Amino acid sequence: MAGPCEFWTSICSWCDSAAKYGGPVLLTGRRVLFPNRLGCVHFQVPQRLDACFFSSVPSQPVPPLAQTLQGYLKALEPLLPPQELSHTRRMVQEFGRSGGLGPQLQEGLERRAMLTKNWISPSWVQWAYLESRQPLPVHSSPAISLPRRDYNGWRSQLVFASKLIAAVLDFKAKINTGQLPVEHMRGKPLCMELYPLLFSSCRIPGPKHDYVTHHRRSPTHITVVRNYQFFQLEVYNSDGSRLTESQIHSQLLRIRSQSWKTDKEPMGILTSEHRHTWGQAYNRLLTDKLNRESVRMIETGLFSLCLDSPVMRISDEKYASRKAAQVLHGGGTFSNSGNRWFDKTLQFVVGEDGSWGLLYEQATAEGPPIATLLHHILDYCEKPDPKRAPLVPLPMPKKLYFHIDREIKRDIEHAKQNLDILINDLDVNVFNFKRFGKELPKQHRLSPHSFIQVAMQLAYYRVHNEVCATCDMVSQRMFRGGRTEFVRSPINQTLRFILAFDDASLSVRNCTKVQLFREAVDAYSELIAFKGHGIDRHLLGLKLQAIEEGYSIPKVFMDTAYGVATHWKLRTGQVPANTDSVMCFGPLVPDGYAICYNPQADHVHFSITAFNCCEETNAEKLALTLKDTLCRLQELLQPTV
C-alpha cells in the first residue's frame, strides 16, 4: 500500500487531504483506488504506460542546496542594486551555512524524495493552483486558439464539432488500449501519467483550497453547451462502441433544436468567480437535488464542448486577438462566457465562423500533452469518417436543468459583473511574426527558444528602460510525476547584451554585439538544461518544508529581494506544436505581461496580454517593439539582409 502522494496526488489536495481521505492506494500493480468525499475514484492504467509510470522514468532529484542558493543569488544580480544584493547575500549565506536551517530543511526534502514518487510536484500543484483564490479565466486557465476552419455557419459548425468529438474519443481510446506512443525528449522517455487524467476530471471549489476529482468508472458522456444550456450527450453505444461521426452529428442537431432560446440564465458564469465566492455559491447550488444532479453530470463528463454563437465581425488585423480572447474567456456575459464551465479540465470551443480552440484547467493538464492531443485531432480531421452509422435509435440528449432561487440569481448577477470587469481589463494582442522562424537561429547555431527569450527581454527593456523578473515555464516530465519548473531571467549575460544593444559607440556590424548576443543566448540555453536542478521549485520546497516542520518562515523568504525575484512581470511560455496554434493566458501580476509563442520553421506565433488598469503596461506597444527587436536581431546576425 502506498502512502499519501505516492501515486497521482494531483487528484488530491496535497498530503493533508490525501491522508485525510485515506491516500491513493495502488492495487494489483495497475489499478488505482483513491477514496474521497465524493466516492472512490477508480482508474485503470494502460499496460503500455506501466513502464513509463513505474520504471523507465527516473525520480526527480533534490538539487544540492549550495547550488540552488548560488543560482538564486546569480538571478538577483541583474535586479538589485549592489547594497541590497550584499545584504541578501549575507542572509543567504547564513541560511545555507553548515549546521544552519537550510541544510536541515534540505535533509527533510531528501527524506521526502525517498518516500514519494516526486518530492515537489504535488506541493507545486497545491500551492500554485489549488490554493490560488484568483478566478480561473484569465488568471489561471490557458487557452489555445487553432487555425480557422474553412466554413461559416451553424451547419458546418456542427459537422466539424462531430468530427472533433470523434477525434477526441479516438485519442482517449489510444490511451485506454496503450496505443499512445510514449513521448521522448533527447532519446529519454517522458512521464505520461497526465494523459489519462485529462478525461472525466474537474476542479472542485473549496473554502480554503480547491481539489481535483477524477471520477470512477470512466463515464460514457460528454457535456455540450449552447446558448448557456447544458446537455448530457452519450457518446458510446450500449455495446461499448463509440458513436460514429454521423451519429454524433444527428445528436448535435437534436441539441440545437432544444437550445434555440437565448433567455436562459448563464449558470457557467458562476465558475468564473473568485474561488472563495464560487465555493460558497457551489455549496448553495448543491443543496437542491436537481442542481446537484446537473452539476455532477458536468463534472463527470469526459470533456465539454462549447458551441459558441456568432460574434460581431472584426477586422482581419484584430481577428486573431479576438479569437484567442473568445476561447480564453468567452467574450463576456453578452457573448459566450455563459457557455463555459471553467472548472472542467478540457473544454473545446467551436464557433460558427470557423474559429475553434481549447481551454484547459492547469491543476491537471499541461501544455505539451494538450499539444499532442490537438495534433491528433488535426490529423484525424483530415481523414474521412470510415464508419457508417448503424440503424439503431439513439436516446435523446438529456438537457440539464437548474433550479435558480433568489440567492443563486444574485450570485449569477455578481459573477456577470465581475467577469465583465475582468474581461474589459484584459488587453490581448496576438500576431504572426512572418519575417523568420526557428530556422534562422538554427542556421547560426543558436537555440530558437533561447533566441526568443533574449529578444523578449530586450523588447521589455526598450519599452520600460529596465529589466524585470521573468519566469519561463519548462517541462519536468522527464521525471516521474514531473510537472514544470521556472527558469529565471534575466541573467548577467543577457543584461550585458541589452545594455550594449543601443550603445552608439558600438557599430551594428561590430562583432562585439554579436558576441554578447551569442553569450546571452548560450547562457540561457545552459539554464534550461538543468536536468532537474532548477532553483525555483527547490526554494518553494524549502519554504514549505520549514512550515511543515513547525518553523517560522525563514528570513531569506521574507526578504525584500525574494519579493522582487518572484514578482514576475514577464510570464513566458513556449508550447511548440506542429500547427499554427497559439496559446494565450493572463499576466501573473497587475503590472506585468504574459507572452506565449509557438515557433514554426519560417514564422513565429505570439500572444501578449496585459491589464488595462496598469498605465505602465501596453500589450500592443510591447508587440510592436518585439517585432522591431526581432528584425534588428536578424540584421545583427545577417548584416547584408
Side-chain angles (χ1 to χ4, degrees):
M1 180 177 293
C5 296
E6 176 63 21
F7 193 83
W8 284 349
T9 45
S10 60
I11 63 176
C12 70
S13 295
W14 187 215
C15 283
D16 57 347
S17 296
K20 181 178 180 181
Y21 299 121
V25 179
L26 180 62
L27 303 177
T28 65
R30 297 183 62 237
R31 182 177 291 276
V32 174
L33 170 65
F34 183 82
N36 67 14
R37 68 183 187 183
L38 295 182
C40 292
V41 176
H42 296 268
F43 192 81
Q44 186 73 28
V45 183
Q47 183 72 43
R48 283 283 303 279
L49 299 184
D50 264 2
C52 182
F53 283 154
F54 301 113
S55 61
S56 59
V57 179
S59 298
Q60 185 164 348
V62 181
L65 179 62
Q67 175 181 298
T68 293
L69 297 181
Q70 183 181 8
Y72 173 58
L73 290 173
K74 284 186 177 180
L76 289 175
E77 289 175 359
L79 302 175
L80 297 179
Q83 187 174 357
E84 291 185 28
L85 184 63
S86 178
H87 170 76
T88 299
R89 182 174 283 109
R90 290 193 298 270
M91 191 176 295
V92 169
Q93 290 172 350
E94 173 64 20
F95 176 76
R97 67 176 175 82
S98 178
L101 180 58
Q104 183 176 337
L105 299 177
Q106 176 78 358
E107 290 178 6
L109 289 182
E110 291 171 351
R111 286 194 301 269
R112 182 188 297 277
M114 290 188 292
L115 298 174
T116 62
K117 65 163 184 173
N118 193 295
W119 60 273
I120 189 59
S121 286
S123 56
W124 163 251
V125 171
Q126 178 72 14
W127 178 83
Y129 303 129
L130 300 180
E131 288 185 359
S132 171
R133 301 288 83 194
Q134 293 276 56
L136 295 187
V138 175
H139 291 291
S140 181
S141 297
I144 299 182
S145 177
L146 278 297
R148 186 176 180 176
R149 306 296 296 187
D150 186 20
Y151 70 78
N152 196 341
W154 67 266
R155 290 180 177 83
S156 299
Q157 175 194 30
L158 297 189
V159 171
F160 173 67
S162 305
K163 193 88 172 178
L164 187 150
I165 293 172
V168 180
L169 294 178
D170 184 70
F171 186 81
K172 183 179 183 300
K174 290 185 180 300
I175 295 175
N176 292 345
T177 57
Q179 297 179 31
L180 188 68
V182 175
E183 295 175 274
H184 289 76
M185 179 183 292
R186 300 185 183 94
K188 296 183 179 180
L190 299 180
C191 182
M192 303 286 285
E193 73 171 42
L194 287 182
Y195 281 92
L197 295 177
L198 295 176
F199 300 98
S200 307
S201 59
C202 191
R203 181 163 168 169
I204 309 296
K208 293 184 179 180
H209 57 72
D210 297 351
Y211 64 96
V212 174
T213 179
H214 186 277
H215 294 274
R216 62 179 177 179
R217 298 174 186 170
S218 187
T220 58
H221 72 278
I222 67 171
T223 304
V224 179
V225 201
R226 181 175 179 270
N227 283 340
Y228 312 158
Q229 297 162 73
F230 292 79
F231 294 84
Q232 175 187 344
L233 174 59
E234 294 292 332
V235 290
Y236 291 89
N237 293 302
S238 57
D239 62 357
S241 62
R242 306 196 302 269
L243 263 61
T244 64
E245 290 176 32
S246 56
Q247 285 179 309
I248 296 171
H249 181 251
S250 65
Q251 294 294 73
L252 292 182
L253 288 172
R254 285 176 160 185
I255 287 175
R256 179 178 172 82
S257 67
Q258 295 184 72
S259 59
W260 58 273
K261 290 186 177 181
T262 58
D263 59 348
K264 304 301 180 182
E265 289 290 346
M267 292 299 299
I269 292 288
L270 289 174
T271 64
S272 70
E273 270 282 29
H274 182 279
R275 300 308 293 175
H276 180 68
T277 305
W278 164 222
Q280 292 177 326
Y282 181 84
N283 290 333
R284 283 193 291 270
L285 192 66
L286 265 58
T287 57
D288 182 90
K289 181 180 178 181
L290 179 65
N291 295 341
R292 188 162 59 248
E293 291 176 351
S294 295
V295 169
R296 181 165 177 79
M297 284 300 104
I298 296 171
E299 292 175 350
T300 59
L302 296 170
F303 55 89
S304 291
L305 172 71
C306 310
L307 295 174
D308 279 5
S309 300
V311 294
M312 185 176 62
R313 293 183 180 276
I314 198 169
S315 65
D316 292 341
E317 181 183 358
K318 296 184 178 180
Y319 178 79
S321 300
R322 204 277 307 278
K323 184 176 68 167
Q326 182 77 13
V327 179
L328 183 66
H329 50 58
T333 58
F334 291 99
S335 187
N336 290 292
S337 293
N339 284 351
R340 309 287 185 267
W341 193 269
F342 289 101
D343 290 359
K344 194 65 182 165
T345 300
L346 293 180
Q347 294 187 91
F348 294 92
V349 179
V350 180
E352 287 193 18
D353 63 347
S355 62
W356 71 292
L358 171 63
L359 180 69
Y360 68 91
E361 202 285 306
Q362 286 195 103
T364 304
E366 296 285 2
I370 292 295
T372 302
L373 167 60
L374 292 174
H375 180 64
H376 178 84
I377 292 172
L378 289 167
D379 279 351
Y380 188 96
C381 288
E382 297 302 317
K383 304 173 184 176
D385 183 8
K387 299 179 181 177
R388 294 184 178 181
L391 298 176
V392 293
L394 295 173
M396 182 70 72
K398 181 181 178 181
K399 189 172 185 176
L400 304 180
Y401 291 94
F402 294 90
H403 175 251
I404 303 175
D405 58 21
R406 183 178 301 177
E407 288 190 348
I408 297 300
K409 172 67 174 175
R410 181 199 61 199
D411 292 335
I412 293 174
E413 291 304 314
H414 288 169
K416 288 163 68 174
Q417 294 174 15
N418 292 335
L419 180 59
D420 282 338
I421 291 172
L422 177 60
I423 289 174
N424 291 331
D425 190 30
L426 185 71
D427 184 14
V428 180
N429 191 294
V430 174
F431 65 93
N432 182 9
F433 181 76
K434 299 181 179 181
R435 186 159 175 175
F436 63 84
K438 59 185 178 183
E439 289 304 318
L440 174 69
K442 288 182 178 179
Q443 291 173 8
H444 295 271
R445 298 183 179 180
L446 296 171
S447 160
H449 178 54
S450 302
F451 181 102
I452 295 173
Q453 282 289 327
V454 173
M456 291 188 298
Q457 288 285 324
L458 176 57
Y460 182 92
Y461 183 86
R462 295 177 68 196
V463 172
H464 296 281
N465 200 33
E466 65 174 8
V467 293
C468 68
T470 301
C471 60
D472 176 26
M473 192 170 287
V474 295
S475 176
Q476 290 287 276
R477 288 176 54 230
M478 65 287 296
F479 303 111
R480 287 184 60 192
R483 294 296 296 266
T484 60
E485 172 65 276
F486 281 164
V487 176
R488 292 169 178 256
S489 191
I491 50 180
N492 283 329
Q493 292 91 334
T494 307
L495 182 60
R496 284 197 292 269
F497 168 68
I498 288 173
L499 295 177
F501 185 77
D502 288 317
D503 190 339
S505 64
L506 296 176
S507 169
V508 173
R509 296 176 180 270
N510 195 314
C511 63
T512 303
K513 283 186 181 181
V514 177
Q515 181 62 30
L516 289 174
F517 180 53
R518 285 188 172 277
E519 289 176 0
V521 173
D522 291 342
Y524 193 86
S525 297
E526 291 180 10
L527 274 184
I528 60 178
F530 46 68
K531 298 180 180 179
H533 286 185
I535 66 173
D536 192 77
R537 300 295 183 265
H538 191 194
L539 291 173
L540 174 64
L542 293 167
K543 181 180 178 180
L544 296 180
Q545 187 68 23
I547 296 173
E548 182 176 311
E549 295 186 15
Y551 294 103
S552 299
I553 296 178
K555 292 181 180 179
V556 68
F557 300 114
M558 303 299 289
D559 184 25
T560 303
Y562 189 74
V564 172
T566 53
H567 187 77
W568 311 112
K569 288 188 177 182
L570 267 183
R571 174 193 186 188
T572 70
Q574 175 187 236
V575 181
N578 296 327
T579 182
D580 288 320
S581 61
V582 62
M583 181 178 285
C584 181
F585 39 61
L588 286 176
V589 295
D591 57 343
Y593 300 91
I595 308 180
C596 196
Y597 52 99
N598 174 16
Q600 299 294 299
D602 58 357
H603 60 278
V604 186
H605 292 280
F606 287 95
S607 74
I608 301 179
T609 60
F611 290 118
N612 292 318
C613 64
C614 179
E615 295 181 358
E616 299 174 1
T617 57
N618 186 297
E620 182 177 5
K621 184 177 181 180
L622 183 60
L624 293 172
T625 307
L626 179 56
K627 292 176 187 177
D628 179 70
T629 300
L630 289 168
C631 292
R632 293 185 64 180
L633 289 177
Q634 181 186 21
E635 294 169 1
L636 183 66
L637 293 175
Q638 300 175 335
T640 58
V641 174

